[in-house]
Protein backbone atom coordinates (compact mmCIF):
# COMPACT_ATOMS: atom_id res chain seq x y z
CA UNK A 1 0.00 0.00 0.00
CA UNK A 2 1.38 3.43 -0.98
CA UNK A 3 2.26 5.97 1.75
CA UNK A 4 -0.18 8.57 0.41
CA UNK A 5 -3.00 5.98 0.58
CA UNK A 6 -2.31 5.42 4.29
CA UNK A 7 -2.25 9.16 4.88
CA UNK A 8 -5.59 9.62 3.14
CA UNK A 9 -7.15 6.77 5.13
CA UNK A 10 -5.81 8.17 8.43
CA UNK A 11 -7.19 11.58 7.56
CA UNK A 12 -10.58 10.07 6.78
CA UNK A 13 -10.67 8.28 10.15
CA UNK A 14 -9.71 11.44 12.00
CA UNK A 15 -12.37 13.43 10.14
CA UNK A 16 -15.04 10.81 10.93
CA UNK A 17 -14.07 10.82 14.59
CA UNK A 18 -14.25 14.60 14.67
CA UNK A 19 -17.69 14.55 13.10
CA UNK A 20 -18.96 11.82 15.44
CA UNK A 21 -17.60 13.37 18.62
CA UNK A 22 -20.38 15.97 19.05
CA UNK A 23 -23.03 13.35 18.32
CA UNK A 24 -21.55 10.94 20.88
CA UNK A 25 -21.31 13.71 23.46
CA UNK A 26 -24.90 14.70 22.81
CA UNK A 27 -26.03 11.11 23.30
CA UNK A 28 -24.38 11.12 26.72
CA UNK A 29 -26.06 14.37 27.76
CA UNK A 30 -29.71 15.33 28.00
CA UNK A 31 -29.12 19.08 27.85
CA UNK A 32 -26.61 21.93 27.91
CA UNK A 33 -27.26 24.59 30.56
CA UNK A 34 -25.25 27.81 30.20
CA UNK A 35 -22.54 25.87 28.40
CA UNK A 36 -22.41 23.06 30.97
CA UNK A 37 -23.59 19.58 29.94
CA UNK A 38 -26.19 17.70 32.00
CA UNK A 39 -25.15 14.01 31.73
CA UNK A 40 -27.74 11.37 30.92
CA UNK A 41 -26.23 9.23 33.71
CA UNK A 42 -27.56 11.73 36.25
CA UNK A 43 -31.11 11.30 35.00
CA UNK A 44 -30.67 7.52 34.88
CA UNK A 45 -29.56 7.49 38.53
CA UNK A 46 -32.53 9.58 39.65
CA UNK A 47 -34.95 7.44 37.62
CA UNK A 48 -33.51 4.31 39.22
CA UNK A 49 -33.97 5.84 42.67
CA UNK A 50 -37.59 6.82 41.94
CA UNK A 51 -38.31 3.35 40.52
CA UNK A 52 -36.93 1.57 43.59
CA UNK A 53 -38.98 3.77 45.89
CA UNK A 54 -42.16 3.06 43.93
CA UNK A 55 -41.50 -0.68 43.89
CA UNK A 56 -40.92 -0.74 47.65
CA UNK A 57 -44.38 0.81 48.07
CA UNK A 58 -46.00 -1.56 45.58
CA UNK A 59 -46.68 1.23 43.10
CA UNK A 60 -46.23 1.43 39.33
CA UNK A 61 -44.72 4.52 37.74
CA UNK A 62 -46.77 6.35 35.09
CA UNK A 63 -45.40 6.53 31.49
CA UNK A 64 -44.48 10.20 31.82
CA UNK A 65 -42.08 9.56 34.73
CA UNK A 66 -38.97 9.45 32.54
CA UNK A 67 -39.77 12.84 31.03
CA UNK A 68 -40.51 14.29 34.48
CA UNK A 69 -37.17 13.01 35.75
CA UNK A 70 -35.33 14.69 32.87
CA UNK A 71 -37.19 17.94 33.60
CA UNK A 72 -36.19 17.66 37.25
CA UNK A 73 -32.52 17.01 36.48
CA UNK A 74 -32.28 20.00 34.14
CA UNK A 75 -34.08 22.26 36.64
CA UNK A 76 -31.66 21.13 39.34
CA UNK A 77 -28.73 22.11 37.14
CA UNK A 78 -30.26 25.54 36.51
CA UNK A 79 -30.89 26.15 40.21
CA UNK A 80 -27.50 24.72 41.23
CA UNK A 81 -25.68 27.06 38.88
CA UNK A 82 -27.66 30.00 40.25
CA UNK A 83 -26.78 29.00 43.83
CA UNK A 84 -23.09 28.61 43.01
CA UNK A 85 -23.05 31.96 41.21
CA UNK A 86 -24.43 33.65 44.33
CA UNK A 87 -21.83 32.01 46.60
CA UNK A 88 -24.27 29.79 48.48
CA UNK A 89 -21.78 26.90 48.45
CA UNK A 90 -19.37 28.94 50.57
CA UNK A 91 -21.81 29.62 53.40
CA UNK A 92 -21.50 27.81 56.77
CA UNK A 93 -25.14 26.72 56.56
CA UNK A 94 -24.57 24.99 53.23
CA UNK A 95 -21.41 23.27 54.43
CA UNK A 96 -23.17 22.00 57.56
CA UNK A 97 -26.08 20.62 55.52
CA UNK A 98 -23.69 19.01 53.05
CA UNK A 99 -21.87 17.23 55.85
CA UNK A 100 -25.15 15.85 57.20
CA UNK A 101 -26.16 14.73 53.69
CA UNK A 102 -22.75 13.12 53.13
CA UNK A 103 -23.06 11.19 56.39
CA UNK A 104 -26.61 10.07 55.59
CA UNK A 105 -25.60 8.72 52.19
CA UNK A 106 -22.52 6.96 53.55
CA UNK A 107 -24.47 5.37 56.40
CA UNK A 108 -27.22 4.20 54.03
CA UNK A 109 -24.65 2.66 51.69
CA UNK A 110 -22.77 1.11 54.62
CA UNK A 111 -25.79 -0.89 55.75
CA UNK A 112 -26.86 -1.67 52.18
CA UNK A 113 -23.39 -3.09 51.53
CA UNK A 114 -23.57 -5.13 54.74
CA UNK A 115 -26.94 -6.60 53.75
CA UNK A 116 -25.63 -7.48 50.31
CA UNK A 117 -22.61 -9.28 51.75
CA UNK A 118 -24.56 -10.93 54.59
CA UNK A 119 -27.79 -12.22 53.04
CA UNK A 120 -30.29 -14.28 55.00
CA UNK A 121 -29.86 -17.94 54.09
CA UNK A 122 -32.56 -20.54 53.53
CA UNK A 123 -31.19 -22.48 56.50
CA UNK A 124 -31.64 -19.44 58.76
CA UNK A 125 -35.20 -18.96 57.53
CA UNK A 126 -36.01 -22.62 58.15
CA UNK A 127 -34.56 -22.48 61.68
CA UNK A 128 -36.59 -19.37 62.51
CA UNK A 129 -39.74 -20.93 61.08
CA UNK A 130 -39.21 -24.07 63.18
CA UNK A 131 -38.72 -21.90 66.27
CA UNK A 132 -42.01 -20.09 65.63
CA UNK A 133 -43.82 -23.40 65.24
CA UNK A 134 -42.36 -24.73 68.49
CA UNK A 135 -43.36 -21.57 70.36
CA UNK A 136 -46.88 -21.67 68.93
CA UNK A 137 -47.44 -25.25 70.03
CA UNK A 138 -49.65 -27.81 68.33
CA UNK A 139 -52.99 -26.52 69.63
CA UNK A 140 -55.05 -23.36 69.21
CA UNK A 141 -57.77 -22.20 71.57
CA UNK A 142 -60.89 -20.15 71.04
CA UNK A 143 -61.64 -18.43 74.31
CA UNK A 144 -63.86 -15.68 75.63
CA UNK A 145 -62.90 -13.48 78.54
CA UNK A 146 -64.21 -10.73 80.75
CA UNK A 147 -61.70 -8.23 82.11
CA UNK A 148 -62.50 -6.15 85.19
CA UNK A 149 -60.46 -4.03 87.57
CA UNK A 150 -61.10 -5.73 90.92
CA UNK A 151 -61.32 -9.28 92.21
CA UNK A 152 -64.68 -8.56 93.85
CA UNK A 153 -66.16 -7.50 90.49
CA UNK A 154 -64.90 -10.70 88.91
CA UNK A 155 -66.29 -12.89 91.69
CA UNK A 156 -69.69 -11.20 91.44
CA UNK A 157 -69.82 -11.79 87.67
CA UNK A 158 -68.80 -15.45 88.07
CA UNK A 159 -71.67 -15.90 90.51
CA UNK A 160 -74.12 -14.28 88.09
CA UNK A 161 -73.01 -16.47 85.19
CA UNK A 162 -73.10 -19.61 87.29
CA UNK A 163 -76.64 -18.59 88.25
CA UNK A 164 -77.71 -18.56 84.60
CA UNK A 165 -76.62 -15.19 83.22
CA UNK A 166 -75.13 -15.11 79.72
CA UNK A 167 -71.33 -14.96 79.60
CA UNK A 168 -71.49 -13.06 76.31
CA UNK A 169 -73.89 -10.44 77.63
CA UNK A 170 -71.84 -10.03 80.82
CA UNK A 171 -68.74 -9.44 78.67
CA UNK A 172 -70.49 -6.83 76.53
CA UNK A 173 -71.74 -5.01 79.60
CA UNK A 174 -68.84 -5.28 82.06
CA UNK A 175 -65.55 -6.15 80.29
CA UNK A 176 -62.89 -3.43 80.17
CA UNK A 177 -61.26 -4.96 77.08
CA UNK A 178 -62.39 -2.69 74.20
CA UNK A 179 -61.25 -5.17 71.57
CA UNK A 180 -63.29 -8.17 72.65
CA UNK A 181 -66.16 -6.75 74.76
CA UNK A 182 -68.39 -5.85 71.77
CA UNK A 183 -68.02 -9.46 70.56
CA UNK A 184 -69.06 -10.99 73.86
CA UNK A 185 -65.46 -11.40 74.98
CA UNK A 186 -64.47 -13.50 71.94
CA UNK A 187 -60.70 -13.50 71.33
CA UNK A 188 -60.88 -15.72 68.23
CA UNK A 189 -58.40 -18.55 67.62
CA UNK A 190 -54.99 -18.09 69.19
CA UNK A 191 -52.02 -20.05 70.50
CA UNK A 192 -51.29 -20.03 74.24
CA UNK A 193 -48.16 -17.99 73.60
CA UNK A 194 -50.32 -15.09 72.42
CA UNK A 195 -51.42 -14.39 76.00
CA UNK A 196 -49.71 -13.52 79.28
CA UNK A 197 -48.68 -16.65 81.25
CA UNK A 198 -51.39 -16.33 83.93
CA UNK A 199 -54.04 -16.20 81.23
CA UNK A 200 -52.70 -19.03 79.04
CA UNK A 201 -51.98 -21.35 82.00
CA UNK A 202 -55.59 -21.10 83.12
CA UNK A 203 -56.91 -21.41 79.56
CA UNK A 204 -55.15 -24.68 78.69
CA UNK A 205 -56.51 -26.32 81.86
CA UNK A 206 -60.14 -25.60 81.02
CA UNK A 207 -62.47 -28.15 79.50
CA UNK A 208 -64.38 -27.21 76.37
CA UNK A 209 -67.45 -25.15 77.30
CA UNK A 210 -66.26 -24.55 80.87
CA UNK A 211 -65.51 -21.29 82.67
CA UNK A 212 -62.90 -20.47 85.31
CA UNK A 213 -64.44 -20.71 88.77
CA UNK A 214 -62.07 -18.13 90.27
CA UNK A 215 -60.74 -14.82 88.85
CA UNK A 216 -57.39 -14.94 87.04
CA UNK A 217 -55.12 -12.04 87.97
CA UNK A 218 -52.73 -10.53 85.43
CA UNK A 219 -51.01 -7.20 84.88
CA UNK A 220 -54.20 -5.97 83.15
CA UNK A 221 -56.63 -6.77 85.94
CA UNK A 222 -58.83 -9.78 86.72
CA UNK A 223 -60.05 -12.17 84.01
CA UNK A 224 -62.90 -14.64 83.74
CA UNK A 225 -62.31 -17.19 80.98
CA UNK A 226 -64.59 -19.47 79.04
CA UNK A 227 -63.13 -22.02 76.62
CA UNK A 228 -65.20 -22.34 73.47
CA UNK A 229 -63.16 -24.86 71.49
CA UNK A 230 -59.72 -26.39 70.79
CA UNK A 231 -58.20 -27.42 67.46
CA UNK A 232 -54.90 -28.44 65.91
CA UNK A 233 -52.71 -25.42 65.25
CA UNK A 234 -53.22 -23.86 61.80
CA UNK A 235 -49.67 -22.75 61.05
CA UNK A 236 -49.02 -21.11 57.65
CA UNK A 237 -46.65 -22.92 55.24
CA UNK A 238 -43.06 -21.70 55.06
CA UNK A 239 -43.46 -20.31 51.52
CA UNK A 240 -46.24 -18.02 52.71
CA UNK A 241 -44.30 -16.42 55.57
CA UNK A 242 -40.77 -16.64 54.15
CA UNK A 243 -40.61 -12.97 53.00
CA UNK A 244 -41.61 -11.70 56.46
CA UNK A 245 -39.09 -14.00 58.16
CA UNK A 246 -36.32 -12.92 55.77
CA UNK A 247 -37.10 -9.25 56.44
CA UNK A 248 -37.07 -9.73 60.21
CA UNK A 249 -33.81 -11.71 60.17
CA UNK A 250 -32.19 -9.14 57.89
CA UNK A 251 -33.21 -6.36 60.28
CA UNK A 252 -31.79 -8.36 63.19
CA UNK A 253 -28.47 -8.79 61.37
CA UNK A 254 -28.25 -5.09 60.59
CA UNK A 255 -29.13 -4.28 64.21
CA UNK A 256 -26.38 -6.57 65.50
CA UNK A 257 -23.89 -5.02 63.05
CA UNK A 258 -24.89 -1.54 64.20
CA UNK A 259 -24.48 -2.51 67.86
CA UNK A 260 -21.08 -4.06 67.12
CA UNK A 261 -19.81 -0.88 65.48
CA UNK A 262 -21.11 1.16 68.38
CA UNK A 263 -19.51 -1.05 71.03
CA UNK A 264 -16.11 -1.15 69.29
CA UNK A 265 -15.88 2.59 68.67
CA UNK A 266 -13.44 4.49 70.88
CA UNK A 267 -15.27 7.58 72.10
CA UNK A 268 -15.57 9.63 75.29
CA UNK A 269 -19.27 10.16 74.61
CA UNK A 270 -21.72 8.43 76.96
CA UNK A 271 -24.93 7.21 75.34
CA UNK A 272 -28.09 7.31 77.39
Amino acid sequence: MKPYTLAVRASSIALAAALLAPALAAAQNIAIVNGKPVPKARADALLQQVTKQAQSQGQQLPPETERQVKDEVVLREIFTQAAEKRGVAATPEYKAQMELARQSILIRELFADFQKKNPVTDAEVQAEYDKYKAQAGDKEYRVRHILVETEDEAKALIAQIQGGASFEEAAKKSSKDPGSAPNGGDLDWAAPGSFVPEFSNAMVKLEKGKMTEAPIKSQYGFHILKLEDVRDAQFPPLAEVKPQIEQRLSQQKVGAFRDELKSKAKTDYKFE
Side-chain angles (χ1 to χ4, degrees):
M1 185 176 290
K2 297 180 180 180
Y4 75 86
T5 304
L6 291 174
V8 170
R9 181 168 294 181
S11 299
S12 299
I13 293 173
L15 178 60
L19 292 172
L20 285 173
L24 291 172
Q28 296 174 353
N29 301 322
I30 60 172
I32 303 293
V33 177
N34 299 321
K36 185 176 180 180
V38 180
K40 181 177 180 295
R42 193 182 301 172
D44 292 341
L46 181 57
L47 181 60
Q48 184 179 24
Q49 180 180 332
V50 171
T51 302
K52 282 184 178 179
Q53 184 176 359
Q55 289 174 342
S56 68
Q57 298 173 353
Q59 299 175 349
Q60 194 169 16
L61 293 174
E64 63 270 18
T65 300
E66 186 173 353
R67 179 64 197 183
Q68 291 173 344
V69 166
K70 289 181 179 179
D71 290 348
E72 175 66 19
V73 168
V74 175
L75 280 173
R76 288 187 181 191
E77 180 62 35
I78 293 171
F79 300 149
T80 297
Q81 289 186 23
E84 290 173 342
K85 187 176 181 180
R86 287 163 174 75
V88 174
T91 64
E93 293 81 6
Y94 169 79
K95 291 179 180 179
Q97 290 297 319
M98 279 298 294
E99 177 58 19
L100 290 175
R102 184 187 73 87
Q103 289 182 345
S104 296
I105 295 170
L106 279 174
I107 292 168
R108 183 188 67 209
E109 293 304 312
L110 167 69
F111 291 119
D113 180 70
F114 174 83
Q115 287 180 302
K116 185 186 299 183
K117 294 177 180 176
N118 297 272
V120 176
T121 66
D122 288 341
E124 290 172 328
V125 172
Q126 184 67 57
E128 191 73 1
Y129 177 78
D130 293 340
K131 185 177 76 173
Y132 287 155
K133 287 188 70 174
Q135 290 174 344
D138 57 354
K139 297 292 182 184
E140 289 181 330
Y141 297 78
R142 185 153 197 169
V143 65
R144 294 180 186 271
H145 89 135
I146 302 172
L147 175 65
V148 293
E149 294 180 358
T150 68
E151 186 175 12
D152 288 341
E153 287 180 272
K155 287 181 176 179
L157 286 169
I158 289 173
Q160 292 174 22
I161 296 168
Q162 288 175 336
S166 166
F167 189 100
E168 290 82 350
E169 291 304 318
K172 290 179 181 180
K173 181 179 179 181
S174 304
S175 182
K176 306 300 182 185
D177 178 9
S180 67
N183 300 319
D186 186 11
L187 294 172
D188 208 344
W189 290 102
S194 302
F195 305 108
V196 293
E198 302 91 339
F199 190 107
S200 59
N201 290 340
M203 179 182 70
V204 299
K205 294 175 183 176
L206 282 173
E207 295 181 19
K208 182 178 175 179
K210 298 293 184 180
M211 175 186 71
T212 49
E213 296 182 355
I216 308 301
K217 184 181 180 180
S218 78
Q219 66 197 71
Y220 303 106
F222 291 86
H223 305 263
I224 307 165
L225 312 183
K226 180 184 178 184
L227 181 61
E228 295 287 341
D229 205 354
V230 183
R231 72 180 184 186
D232 291 335
Q234 307 293 305
F235 206 77
L238 175 59
E240 186 177 318
V241 295
K242 185 178 181 181
Q244 294 94 315
I245 295 177
E246 285 179 330
Q247 183 179 20
R248 178 175 294 185
L249 290 177
S250 180
Q251 290 172 346
Q252 289 176 356
K253 285 189 175 188
V254 170
F257 177 56
R258 183 173 57 242
D259 293 342
E260 179 186 6
L261 293 176
K262 179 181 173 182
S263 65
K264 288 183 176 180
K266 295 179 181 180
T267 176
D268 59 351
Y269 181 80
K270 302 299 179 184
F271 291 96
E272 291 292 337

